[in-house]
Amino acid sequence: MKKSADILILHASELVTLDGYSDKPAVKSDMRNLGIIRDGAVAIENGRIIDVGKSSSLAEKYSAETVINADKKIVLPGFIDAHTHLLFLGSREEELTYKLEGMSYLEILQRGGGILKTVRETRSASIQELVKAGIERLDNMLVHGVTTVEGKSGYGLDVENEIKMLEAYKILNEKHVVDVIPTLLAAHAIPPEYKDNPDEYVDLIIDEIIPKVAERKLARFNDVFVEKGVFTIEHGRRILLRGKEYGLVPKIHADEINYLGGAELAGEVGAISADHLARASDKGLKILADKGVIGVLLPTAPMVLMDYSYPNARKMINMGVPIAIASDFNPNCWVENIQVPMFMATYFLKMTPAEVITAVTINAAHAIGLSHEVGSISVGKKADIVILDVPSHYWINYKFGTNLVDTVIKNGKIVVEKGKLKNREIRS
Ligand code: NIG
Ligand code: FE
């Protein structure tokens, strides 16, 4: 008697499992070690992966209502976007011209544009408007293969509006099939009210915002933009340690535009990830490697900043820093297709297709503390799976600019078929 399954995927030319890295992220040459099964198969039931192996063996064991023939295609864990600023209202298209005329990102911010413009527009938005914008963005991310997204606050910059943003994330998570993991980023910019006394805003974050957000369980992580003219290392230390007292796991925007020692701080406070790292020091990188802090690299960021200083991924991988790649989706970097940062990671960070796959699956899962739930095709994990219409994983980033996604399975349900969203399955 055959066992029953909801979905059986058969005949994947390559089944990329990435199994074996759930306890510890993949580092060094293991980032190329994808655990590939040729002519691979996956059995799914009740939203979970129940078996993984060769097609011949699973076809004998299971009968399923839905059988997907993945012949000439590759099957991978759903992509995880571990760093986004998903929710905001408004847009900043005019800044593209300012940047082309030579104004820097930090100058635009100092003049009240940049993040501060988005703060004005987001403060006047309702929760419903934020959720609606989020749904559209998640739809676009999902159709490109993303099944889990980390999303930051940071465009409220006061008690009421930071909480409003995080509440919008909570509703969005209930409404949309993509999982959204919320991060408090109250320390994203100095709000205009505190322009002349930033320390007082840091006190507000520490005394009010963090306790309130933690009490309402609105965020899992606590992030700080440590940067020249924004938050200092000492601000970052105070905010991240305070969050830890309240159970919020530290993350940090580290050494993005200027070197301030963000990577070192990530190690010191026990951050789960240090993000950007374009200017990180060797000492800082060594600390990340020793402590297993995930380096979340965002290859779109130096491009949209137009400073073109890409992080040295090759050096980081050689040193043993576990690397993830993410989109940094935000109003200065409106990219809903994770395959863009993926191909940039190959052409600008010199990462192989295999390393990039690891960086948007299991290592990205580690960056958001979900490595036991998602990020690999392993028995017991969530059935979050993407099928790409290419014959081998070597085609990832080799063929670029069109969506490679054929099918997406989220929580054991087909939500994208032949590259198109199946709307009824996505929203509740
Ligand atoms: O990760 N660097 C700070 N935050 C974002 C940009 C946010 C914005 O410009 O609105 C980043 O690049
Ligand atoms: Fe960011």
Side-chain angles (χ1 to χ4, degrees), residues 4-10 41-51 58 62-69 383 385 387 407-415 422:
S4 81
D6 296 332
I7 300 180
L8 192 56
I9 306 172
L10 293 174
V42 188
I44 294 167
E45 189 159 68
N46 290 330
R48 297 270 154 184
I49 295 165
I50 57 166
D51 210 342
L58 265 65
Y62 296 93
S63 70
E65 243 167 71
T66 307
V67 177
I68 300 175
N69 183 357
I385 290 173
I387 303 179
T407 301
V408 181
I409 297 170
K410 175 67 192 170
N411 297 330
K413 290 217 165 75
I414 299 173
V415 289
K422 290 176 74 184

PDB file of all heavy atoms in Angstrom, residues 4-10 41-51 58 62-69 383 385 387 407-415 422:
ATOM      1  N   SER A   4      -0.106   8.141   1.499  1.00  0.00           N
ATOM      2  CA  SER A   4      -0.650   9.281   0.765  1.00  0.00           C
ATOM      3  C   SER A   4       0.110  10.561   1.124  1.00  0.00           C
ATOM      4  O   SER A   4       0.622  10.718   2.236  1.00  0.00           O
ATOM      5  CB  SER A   4      -2.137   9.446   1.039  1.00  0.00           C
ATOM      6  OG  SER A   4      -2.296  10.105   2.252  1.00  0.00           O
ATOM      7  N   ALA A   5       0.196  11.432   0.130  1.00  0.00           N
ATOM      8  CA  ALA A   5       0.807  12.755   0.328  1.00  0.00           C
ATOM      9  C   ALA A   5      -0.089  13.774  -0.366  1.00  0.00           C
ATOM     10  O   ALA A   5      -0.886  13.407  -1.229  1.00  0.00           O
ATOM     11  CB  ALA A   5       2.208  12.768  -0.267  1.00  0.00           C
ATOM     12  N   ASP A   6       0.022  15.032   0.025  1.00  0.00           N
ATOM     13  CA  ASP A   6      -0.756  16.070  -0.672  1.00  0.00           C
ATOM     14  C   ASP A   6      -0.118  16.388  -2.028  1.00  0.00           C
ATOM     15  O   ASP A   6      -0.792  16.492  -3.035  1.00  0.00           O
ATOM     16  CB  ASP A   6      -0.823  17.354   0.163  1.00  0.00           C
ATOM     17  CG  ASP A   6      -1.560  17.141   1.470  1.00  0.00           C
ATOM     18  OD1 ASP A   6      -2.426  16.246   1.512  1.00  0.00           O
ATOM     19  OD2 ASP A   6      -1.246  17.838   2.459  1.00  0.00           O
ATOM     20  N   ILE A   7       1.187  16.588  -1.997  1.00  0.00           N
ATOM     21  CA  ILE A   7       1.914  16.945  -3.227  1.00  0.00           C
ATOM     22  C   ILE A   7       3.161  16.070  -3.329  1.00  0.00           C
ATOM     23  O   ILE A   7       3.861  15.846  -2.336  1.00  0.00           O
ATOM     24  CB  ILE A   7       2.356  18.431  -3.224  1.00  0.00           C
ATOM     25  CG1 ILE A   7       1.145  19.378  -3.122  1.00  0.00           C
ATOM     26  CG2 ILE A   7       3.180  18.763  -4.470  1.00  0.00           C
ATOM     27  CD1 ILE A   7       1.513  20.861  -3.111  1.00  0.00           C
ATOM     28  N   LEU A   8       3.401  15.592  -4.520  1.00  0.00           N
ATOM     29  CA  LEU A   8       4.630  14.845  -4.788  1.00  0.00           C
ATOM     30  C   LEU A   8       5.325  15.561  -5.955  1.00  0.00           C
ATOM     31  O   LEU A   8       4.740  15.725  -7.024  1.00  0.00           O
ATOM     32  CB  LEU A   8       4.259  13.412  -5.162  1.00  0.00           C
ATOM     33  CG  LEU A   8       5.361  12.364  -5.213  1.00  0.00           C
ATOM     34  CD1 LEU A   8       6.118  12.261  -3.897  1.00  0.00           C
ATOM     35  CD2 LEU A   8       4.752  10.994  -5.569  1.00  0.00           C
ATOM     36  N   ILE A   9       6.553  16.020  -5.715  1.00  0.00           N
ATOM     37  CA  ILE A   9       7.347  16.614  -6.802  1.00  0.00           C
ATOM     38  C   ILE A   9       8.304  15.532  -7.282  1.00  0.00           C
ATOM     39  O   ILE A   9       9.031  14.942  -6.465  1.00  0.00           O
ATOM     40  CB  ILE A   9       8.158  17.834  -6.309  1.00  0.00           C
ATOM     41  CG1 ILE A   9       7.251  18.869  -5.623  1.00  0.00           C
ATOM     42  CG2 ILE A   9       8.928  18.481  -7.454  1.00  0.00           C
ATOM     43  CD1 ILE A   9       8.022  20.007  -4.948  1.00  0.00           C
ATOM     44  N   LEU A  10       8.314  15.270  -8.572  1.00  0.00           N
ATOM     45  CA  LEU A  10       9.156  14.200  -9.108  1.00  0.00           C
ATOM     46  C   LEU A  10      10.080  14.716 -10.213  1.00  0.00           C
ATOM     47  O   LEU A  10       9.774  15.715 -10.872  1.00  0.00           O
ATOM     48  CB  LEU A  10       8.281  13.084  -9.706  1.00  0.00           C
ATOM     49  CG  LEU A  10       7.409  12.269  -8.738  1.00  0.00           C
ATOM     50  CD1 LEU A  10       6.508  11.318  -9.527  1.00  0.00           C
ATOM     51  CD2 LEU A  10       8.262  11.491  -7.741  1.00  0.00           C
ATOM     52  N   ALA A  41      13.146  14.016  -5.675  1.00  0.00           N
ATOM     53  CA  ALA A  41      11.709  14.069  -5.383  1.00  0.00           C
ATOM     54  C   ALA A  41      11.468  14.548  -3.956  1.00  0.00           C
ATOM     55  O   ALA A  41      12.318  14.380  -3.078  1.00  0.00           O
ATOM     56  CB  ALA A  41      11.092  12.693  -5.574  1.00  0.00           C
ATOM     57  N   VAL A  42      10.304  15.175  -3.756  1.00  0.00           N
ATOM     58  CA  VAL A  42       9.894  15.645  -2.429  1.00  0.00           C
ATOM     59  C   VAL A  42       8.437  15.262  -2.216  1.00  0.00           C
ATOM     60  O   VAL A  42       7.616  15.450  -3.120  1.00  0.00           O
ATOM     61  CB  VAL A  42       9.980  17.193  -2.320  1.00  0.00           C
ATOM     62  CG1 VAL A  42       9.736  17.645  -0.887  1.00  0.00           C
ATOM     63  CG2 VAL A  42      11.303  17.719  -2.822  1.00  0.00           C
ATOM     64  N   ALA A  43       8.121  14.750  -1.034  1.00  0.00           N
ATOM     65  CA  ALA A  43       6.723  14.499  -0.670  1.00  0.00           C
ATOM     66  C   ALA A  43       6.308  15.495   0.405  1.00  0.00           C
ATOM     67  O   ALA A  43       7.068  15.775   1.338  1.00  0.00           O
ATOM     68  CB  ALA A  43       6.556  13.073  -0.164  1.00  0.00           C
ATOM     69  N   ILE A  44       5.081  16.036   0.224  1.00  0.00           N
ATOM     70  CA  ILE A  44       4.592  17.109   1.104  1.00  0.00           C
ATOM     71  C   ILE A  44       3.236  16.701   1.672  1.00  0.00           C
ATOM     72  O   ILE A  44       2.366  16.235   0.924  1.00  0.00           O
ATOM     73  CB  ILE A  44       4.429  18.407   0.284  1.00  0.00           C
ATOM     74  CG1 ILE A  44       5.801  18.904  -0.194  1.00  0.00           C
ATOM     75  CG2 ILE A  44       3.688  19.482   1.081  1.00  0.00           C
ATOM     76  CD1 ILE A  44       5.723  19.983  -1.257  1.00  0.00           C
ATOM     77  N   GLU A  45       3.084  16.878   2.976  1.00  0.00           N
ATOM     78  CA  GLU A  45       1.744  16.689   3.543  1.00  0.00           C
ATOM     79  C   GLU A  45       1.510  17.660   4.692  1.00  0.00           C
ATOM     80  O   GLU A  45       2.413  17.926   5.476  1.00  0.00           O
ATOM     81  CB  GLU A  45       1.550  15.254   4.021  1.00  0.00           C
ATOM     82  CG  GLU A  45       0.083  15.028   4.391  1.00  0.00           C
ATOM     83  CD  GLU A  45      -0.315  13.572   4.392  1.00  0.00           C
ATOM     84  OE1 GLU A  45       0.169  12.840   5.264  1.00  0.00           O
ATOM     85  OE2 GLU A  45      -1.098  13.204   3.518  1.00  0.00           O
ATOM     86  N   ASN A  46       0.280  18.158   4.786  1.00  0.00           N
ATOM     87  CA  ASN A  46      -0.100  19.103   5.847  1.00  0.00           C
ATOM     88  C   ASN A  46       0.885  20.257   5.991  1.00  0.00           C
ATOM     89  O   ASN A  46       1.243  20.649   7.103  1.00  0.00           O
ATOM     90  CB  ASN A  46      -0.220  18.379   7.189  1.00  0.00           C
ATOM     91  CG  ASN A  46      -1.428  17.470   7.214  1.00  0.00           C
ATOM     92  OD1 ASN A  46      -2.435  17.750   6.539  1.00  0.00           O
ATOM     93  ND2 ASN A  46      -1.327  16.372   7.933  1.00  0.00           N
ATOM     94  N   GLY A  47       1.338  20.769   4.868  1.00  0.00           N
ATOM     95  CA  GLY A  47       2.201  21.939   4.893  1.00  0.00           C
ATOM     96  C   GLY A  47       3.659  21.665   5.201  1.00  0.00           C
ATOM     97  O   GLY A  47       4.463  22.596   5.275  1.00  0.00           O
ATOM     98  N   ARG A  48       3.993  20.397   5.405  1.00  0.00           N
ATOM     99  CA  ARG A  48       5.370  20.044   5.791  1.00  0.00           C
ATOM    100  C   ARG A  48       6.008  19.109   4.772  1.00  0.00           C
ATOM    101  O   ARG A  48       5.308  18.374   4.064  1.00  0.00           O
ATOM    102  CB  ARG A  48       5.368  19.325   7.149  1.00  0.00           C
ATOM    103  CG  ARG A  48       4.863  20.158   8.291  1.00  0.00           C
ATOM    104  CD  ARG A  48       6.008  20.932   8.952  1.00  0.00           C
ATOM    105  NE  ARG A  48       5.484  22.134   9.590  1.00  0.00           N
ATOM    106  CZ  ARG A  48       6.261  23.058  10.178  1.00  0.00           C
ATOM    107  NH1 ARG A  48       7.570  22.916  10.210  1.00  0.00           N
ATOM    108  NH2 ARG A  48       5.739  24.135  10.700  1.00  0.00           N
ATOM    109  N   ILE A  49       7.319  19.089   4.757  1.00  0.00           N
ATOM    110  CA  ILE A  49       8.063  18.134   3.937  1.00  0.00           C
ATOM    111  C   ILE A  49       8.105  16.812   4.705  1.00  0.00           C
ATOM    112  O   ILE A  49       8.562  16.784   5.857  1.00  0.00           O
ATOM    113  CB  ILE A  49       9.489  18.674   3.677  1.00  0.00           C
ATOM    114  CG1 ILE A  49       9.407  19.960   2.840  1.00  0.00           C
ATOM    115  CG2 ILE A  49      10.356  17.611   2.997  1.00  0.00           C
ATOM    116  CD1 ILE A  49      10.683  20.775   2.808  1.00  0.00           C
ATOM    117  N   ILE A  50       7.592  15.741   4.089  1.00  0.00           N
ATOM    118  CA  ILE A  50       7.580  14.467   4.825  1.00  0.00           C
ATOM    119  C   ILE A  50       8.605  13.461   4.281  1.00  0.00           C
ATOM    120  O   ILE A  50       8.937  12.497   4.944  1.00  0.00           O
ATOM    121  CB  ILE A  50       6.171  13.811   4.876  1.00  0.00           C
ATOM    122  CG1 ILE A  50       5.613  13.572   3.462  1.00  0.00           C
ATOM    123  CG2 ILE A  50       5.216  14.661   5.709  1.00  0.00           C
ATOM    124  CD1 ILE A  50       4.417  12.631   3.447  1.00  0.00           C
ATOM    125  N   ASP A  51       9.103  13.693   3.066  1.00  0.00           N
ATOM    126  CA  ASP A  51      10.127  12.782   2.547  1.00  0.00           C
ATOM    127  C   ASP A  51      10.899  13.471   1.423  1.00  0.00           C
ATOM    128  O   ASP A  51      10.366  14.322   0.714  1.00  0.00           O
ATOM    129  CB  ASP A  51       9.482  11.488   2.026  1.00  0.00           C
ATOM    130  CG  ASP A  51      10.418  10.278   2.161  1.00  0.00           C
ATOM    131  OD1 ASP A  51      11.642  10.473   2.324  1.00  0.00           O
ATOM    132  OD2 ASP A  51       9.908   9.147   2.106  1.00  0.00           O
ATOM    133  N   LEU A  58      10.627   7.581  -4.155  1.00  0.00           N
ATOM    134  CA  LEU A  58       9.417   8.259  -3.657  1.00  0.00           C
ATOM    135  C   LEU A  58       8.186   7.935  -4.501  1.00  0.00           C
ATOM    136  O   LEU A  58       7.072   7.857  -3.977  1.00  0.00           O
ATOM    137  CB  LEU A  58       9.629   9.778  -3.558  1.00  0.00           C
ATOM    138  CG  LEU A  58      10.051  10.259  -2.156  1.00  0.00           C
ATOM    139  CD1 LEU A  58      11.405   9.725  -1.757  1.00  0.00           C
ATOM    140  CD2 LEU A  58      10.010  11.778  -2.041  1.00  0.00           C
ATOM    141  N   TYR A  62       4.794   6.711  -2.464  1.00  0.00           N
ATOM    142  CA  TYR A  62       3.678   7.645  -2.248  1.00  0.00           C
ATOM    143  C   TYR A  62       2.726   7.709  -3.426  1.00  0.00           C
ATOM    144  O   TYR A  62       3.139   7.616  -4.585  1.00  0.00           O
ATOM    145  CB  TYR A  62       4.211   9.067  -1.999  1.00  0.00           C
ATOM    146  CG  TYR A  62       5.027   9.172  -0.742  1.00  0.00           C
ATOM    147  CD1 TYR A  62       6.409   9.028  -0.786  1.00  0.00           C
ATOM    148  CD2 TYR A  62       4.418   9.368   0.485  1.00  0.00           C
ATOM    149  CE1 TYR A  62       7.172   9.098   0.375  1.00  0.00           C
ATOM    150  CE2 TYR A  62       5.168   9.437   1.654  1.00  0.00           C
ATOM    151  CZ  TYR A  62       6.545   9.302   1.591  1.00  0.00           C
ATOM    152  OH  TYR A  62       7.282   9.363   2.734  1.00  0.00           O
ATOM    153  N   SER A  63       1.456   7.930  -3.080  1.00  0.00           N
ATOM    154  CA  SER A  63       0.524   8.390  -4.111  1.00  0.00           C
ATOM    155  C   SER A  63       0.020   9.753  -3.636  1.00  0.00           C
ATOM    156  O   SER A  63      -0.194   9.960  -2.436  1.00  0.00           O
ATOM    157  CB  SER A  63      -0.634   7.410  -4.279  1.00  0.00           C
ATOM    158  OG  SER A  63      -1.458   7.475  -3.145  1.00  0.00           O
ATOM    159  N   ALA A  64      -0.124  10.683  -4.563  1.00  0.00           N
ATOM    160  CA  ALA A  64      -0.506  12.044  -4.164  1.00  0.00           C
ATOM    161  C   ALA A  64      -1.586  12.571  -5.075  1.00  0.00           C
ATOM    162  O   ALA A  64      -1.649  12.221  -6.258  1.00  0.00           O
ATOM    163  CB  ALA A  64       0.711  12.952  -4.220  1.00  0.00           C
ATOM    164  N   GLU A  65      -2.411  13.431  -4.509  1.00  0.00           N
ATOM    165  CA  GLU A  65      -3.441  14.113  -5.289  1.00  0.00           C
ATOM    166  C   GLU A  65      -2.819  14.958  -6.391  1.00  0.00           C
ATOM    167  O   GLU A  65      -3.263  14.966  -7.517  1.00  0.00           O
ATOM    168  CB  GLU A  65      -4.180  15.077  -4.356  1.00  0.00           C
ATOM    169  CG  GLU A  65      -5.641  14.767  -4.165  1.00  0.00           C
ATOM    170  CD  GLU A  65      -6.156  15.577  -3.004  1.00  0.00           C
ATOM    171  OE1 GLU A  65      -6.278  16.808  -3.172  1.00  0.00           O
ATOM    172  OE2 GLU A  65      -6.408  14.969  -1.937  1.00  0.00           O
ATOM    173  N   THR A  66      -1.774  15.682  -6.010  1.00  0.00           N
ATOM    174  CA  THR A  66      -1.101  16.552  -6.976  1.00  0.00           C
ATOM    175  C   THR A  66       0.318  16.041  -7.200  1.00  0.00           C
ATOM    176  O   THR A  66       1.099  15.955  -6.245  1.00  0.00           O
ATOM    177  CB  THR A  66      -1.033  17.994  -6.430  1.00  0.00           C
ATOM    178  OG1 THR A  66      -2.360  18.385  -6.066  1.00  0.00           O
ATOM    179  CG2 THR A  66      -0.471  18.962  -7.443  1.00  0.00           C
ATOM    180  N   VAL A  67       0.615  15.725  -8.453  1.00  0.00           N
ATOM    181  CA  VAL A  67       1.977  15.313  -8.777  1.00  0.00           C
ATOM    182  C   VAL A  67       2.561  16.369  -9.716  1.00  0.00           C
ATOM    183  O   VAL A  67       1.957  16.717 -10.728  1.00  0.00           O
ATOM    184  CB  VAL A  67       2.002  13.920  -9.457  1.00  0.00           C
ATOM    185  CG1 VAL A  67       3.432  13.539  -9.847  1.00  0.00           C
ATOM    186  CG2 VAL A  67       1.414  12.865  -8.520  1.00  0.00           C
ATOM    187  N   ILE A  68       3.706  16.917  -9.329  1.00  0.00           N
ATOM    188  CA  ILE A  68       4.362  17.927 -10.164  1.00  0.00           C
ATOM    189  C   ILE A  68       5.555  17.270 -10.845  1.00  0.00           C
ATOM    190  O   ILE A  68       6.435  16.726 -10.167  1.00  0.00           O
ATOM    191  CB  ILE A  68       4.837  19.130  -9.312  1.00  0.00           C
ATOM    192  CG1 ILE A  68       3.636  19.798  -8.617  1.00  0.00           C
ATOM    193  CG2 ILE A  68       5.596  20.134 -10.163  1.00  0.00           C
ATOM    194  CD1 ILE A  68       4.023  20.912  -7.658  1.00  0.00           C
ATOM    195  N   ASN A  69       5.570  17.343 -12.147  1.00  0.00           N
ATOM    196  CA  ASN A  69       6.710  16.814 -12.878  1.00  0.00           C
ATOM    197  C   ASN A  69       7.727  17.948 -13.078  1.00  0.00           C
ATOM    198  O   ASN A  69       7.478  18.871 -13.849  1.00  0.00           O
ATOM    199  CB  ASN A  69       6.238  16.253 -14.228  1.00  0.00           C
ATOM    200  CG  ASN A  69       7.394  15.624 -14.995  1.00  0.00           C
ATOM    201  OD1 ASN A  69       8.544  15.668 -14.544  1.00  0.00           O
ATOM    202  ND2 ASN A  69       7.089  15.048 -16.151  1.00  0.00           N
ATOM    203  N   ALA A 383       6.950  23.217   4.085  1.00  0.00           N
ATOM    204  CA  ALA A 383       7.055  22.969   2.645  1.00  0.00           C
ATOM    205  C   ALA A 383       7.013  24.304   1.903  1.00  0.00           C
ATOM    206  O   ALA A 383       5.998  24.696   1.336  1.00  0.00           O
ATOM    207  CB  ALA A 383       5.952  22.040   2.183  1.00  0.00           C
ATOM    208  N   ILE A 385       8.879  25.889  -1.091  1.00  0.00           N
ATOM    209  CA  ILE A 385       9.724  25.349  -2.157  1.00  0.00           C
ATOM    210  C   ILE A 385       9.537  26.158  -3.425  1.00  0.00           C
ATOM    211  O   ILE A 385       8.426  26.595  -3.737  1.00  0.00           O
ATOM    212  CB  ILE A 385       9.355  23.855  -2.392  1.00  0.00           C
ATOM    213  CG1 ILE A 385       9.832  23.028  -1.192  1.00  0.00           C
ATOM    214  CG2 ILE A 385       9.929  23.319  -3.695  1.00  0.00           C
ATOM    215  CD1 ILE A 385       9.400  21.594  -1.192  1.00  0.00           C
ATOM    216  N   ILE A 387      10.384  26.150  -7.669  1.00  0.00           N
ATOM    217  CA  ILE A 387      10.843  25.374  -8.833  1.00  0.00           C
ATOM    218  C   ILE A 387      11.226  26.381  -9.920  1.00  0.00           C
ATOM    219  O   ILE A 387      10.417  27.235 -10.301  1.00  0.00           O
ATOM    220  CB  ILE A 387       9.741  24.422  -9.337  1.00  0.00           C
ATOM    221  CG1 ILE A 387       9.286  23.491  -8.194  1.00  0.00           C
ATOM    222  CG2 ILE A 387      10.243  23.604 -10.539  1.00  0.00           C
ATOM    223  CD1 ILE A 387       8.177  22.514  -8.559  1.00  0.00           C
ATOM    224  N   THR A 407       7.230  27.568 -10.416  1.00  0.00           N
ATOM    225  CA  THR A 407       6.243  27.226  -9.386  1.00  0.00           C
ATOM    226  C   THR A 407       6.767  27.635  -8.016  1.00  0.00           C
ATOM    227  O   THR A 407       7.967  27.530  -7.761  1.00  0.00           O
ATOM    228  CB  THR A 407       6.015  25.688  -9.377  1.00  0.00           C
ATOM    229  OG1 THR A 407       5.568  25.293 -10.671  1.00  0.00           O
ATOM    230  CG2 THR A 407       4.998  25.264  -8.332  1.00  0.00           C
ATOM    231  N   VAL A 408       5.850  28.128  -7.154  1.00  0.00           N
ATOM    232  CA  VAL A 408       6.206  28.332  -5.752  1.00  0.00           C
ATOM    233  C   VAL A 408       5.192  27.586  -4.888  1.00  0.00           C
ATOM    234  O   VAL A 408       3.983  27.699  -5.116  1.00  0.00           O
ATOM    235  CB  VAL A 408       6.218  29.827  -5.347  1.00  0.00           C
ATOM    236  CG1 VAL A 408       6.618  29.979  -3.877  1.00  0.00           C
ATOM    237  CG2 VAL A 408       7.158  30.641  -6.229  1.00  0.00           C
ATOM    238  N   ILE A 409       5.711  26.838  -3.929  1.00  0.00           N
ATOM    239  CA  ILE A 409       4.864  26.166  -2.945  1.00  0.00           C
ATOM    240  C   ILE A 409       5.131  26.835  -1.602  1.00  0.00           C
ATOM    241  O   ILE A 409       6.283  26.967  -1.194  1.00  0.00           O
ATOM    242  CB  ILE A 409       5.201  24.664  -2.890  1.00  0.00           C
ATOM    243  CG1 ILE A 409       4.880  24.019  -4.246  1.00  0.00           C
ATOM    244  CG2 ILE A 409       4.439  23.969  -1.764  1.00  0.00           C
ATOM    245  CD1 ILE A 409       5.382  22.603  -4.401  1.00  0.00           C
ATOM    246  N   LYS A 410       4.053  27.294  -0.961  1.00  0.00           N
ATOM    247  CA  LYS A 410       4.205  27.947   0.348  1.00  0.00           C
ATOM    248  C   LYS A 410       3.321  27.221   1.352  1.00  0.00           C
ATOM    249  O   LYS A 410       2.126  27.025   1.095  1.00  0.00           O
ATOM    250  CB  LYS A 410       3.800  29.427   0.241  1.00  0.00           C
ATOM    251  CG  LYS A 410       3.801  30.177   1.568  1.00  0.00           C
ATOM    252  CD  LYS A 410       5.195  30.322   2.153  1.00  0.00           C
ATOM    253  CE  LYS A 410       5.157  30.806   3.602  1.00  0.00           C
ATOM    254  NZ  LYS A 410       6.449  30.744   4.265  1.00  0.00           N
ATOM    255  N   ASN A 411       3.877  26.821   2.472  1.00  0.00           N
ATOM    256  CA  ASN A 411       3.139  26.042   3.476  1.00  0.00           C
ATOM    257  C   ASN A 411       2.422  24.856   2.840  1.00  0.00           C
ATOM    258  O   ASN A 411       1.290  24.539   3.191  1.00  0.00           O
ATOM    259  CB  ASN A 411       2.098  26.911   4.201  1.00  0.00           C
ATOM    260  CG  ASN A 411       2.742  28.032   4.990  1.00  0.00           C
ATOM    261  OD1 ASN A 411       3.858  27.901   5.469  1.00  0.00           O
ATOM    262  ND2 ASN A 411       2.027  29.147   5.112  1.00  0.00           N
ATOM    263  N   GLY A 412       3.057  24.230   1.861  1.00  0.00           N
ATOM    264  CA  GLY A 412       2.474  23.039   1.238  1.00  0.00           C
ATOM    265  C   GLY A 412       1.375  23.304   0.237  1.00  0.00           C
ATOM    266  O   GLY A 412       0.686  22.382  -0.190  1.00  0.00           O
ATOM    267  N   LYS A 413       1.209  24.571  -0.169  1.00  0.00           N
ATOM    268  CA  LYS A 413       0.188  24.884  -1.187  1.00  0.00           C
ATOM    269  C   LYS A 413       0.844  25.546  -2.397  1.00  0.00           C
ATOM    270  O   LYS A 413       1.760  26.362  -2.237  1.00  0.00           O
ATOM    271  CB  LYS A 413      -0.827  25.885  -0.616  1.00  0.00           C
ATOM    272  CG  LYS A 413      -1.724  25.304   0.444  1.00  0.00           C
ATOM    273  CD  LYS A 413      -3.145  25.899   0.302  1.00  0.00           C
ATOM    274  CE  LYS A 413      -4.155  25.090   1.086  1.00  0.00           C
ATOM    275  NZ  LYS A 413      -4.052  25.330   2.535  1.00  0.00           N
ATOM    276  N   ILE A 414       0.347  25.212  -3.575  1.00  0.00           N
ATOM    277  CA  ILE A 414       0.882  25.848  -4.781  1.00  0.00           C
ATOM    278  C   ILE A 414       0.325  27.268  -4.860  1.00  0.00           C
ATOM    279  O   ILE A 414      -0.887  27.458  -4.958  1.00  0.00           O
ATOM    280  CB  ILE A 414       0.497  25.051  -6.041  1.00  0.00           C
ATOM    281  CG1 ILE A 414       1.091  23.638  -5.967  1.00  0.00           C
ATOM    282  CG2 ILE A 414       0.988  25.771  -7.306  1.00  0.00           C
ATOM    283  CD1 ILE A 414       0.649  22.711  -7.077  1.00  0.00           C
ATOM    284  N   VAL A 415       1.203  28.258  -4.783  1.00  0.00           N
ATOM    285  CA  VAL A 415       0.757  29.656  -4.799  1.00  0.00           C
ATOM    286  C   VAL A 415       1.193  30.388  -6.075  1.00  0.00           C
ATOM    287  O   VAL A 415       0.653  31.440  -6.409  1.00  0.00           O
ATOM    288  CB  VAL A 415       1.241  30.429  -3.547  1.00  0.00           C
ATOM    289  CG1 VAL A 415       0.499  29.950  -2.306  1.00  0.00           C
ATOM    290  CG2 VAL A 415       2.746  30.285  -3.348  1.00  0.00           C
ATOM    291  N   LYS A 422      -1.442  32.497  -7.971  1.00  0.00           N
ATOM    292  CA  LYS A 422      -2.793  31.947  -7.840  1.00  0.00           C
ATOM    293  C   LYS A 422      -3.469  32.716  -6.703  1.00  0.00           C
ATOM    294  O   LYS A 422      -3.311  32.365  -5.538  1.00  0.00           O
ATOM    295  CB  LYS A 422      -2.729  30.457  -7.500  1.00  0.00           C
ATOM    296  CG  LYS A 422      -2.241  29.599  -8.648  1.00  0.00           C
ATOM    297  CD  LYS A 422      -2.105  28.163  -8.219  1.00  0.00           C
ATOM    298  CE  LYS A 422      -3.459  27.476  -8.067  1.00  0.00           C
ATOM    299  NZ  LYS A 422      -3.296  26.089  -7.562  1.00  0.00           N
TER     300      LYS A 422
END
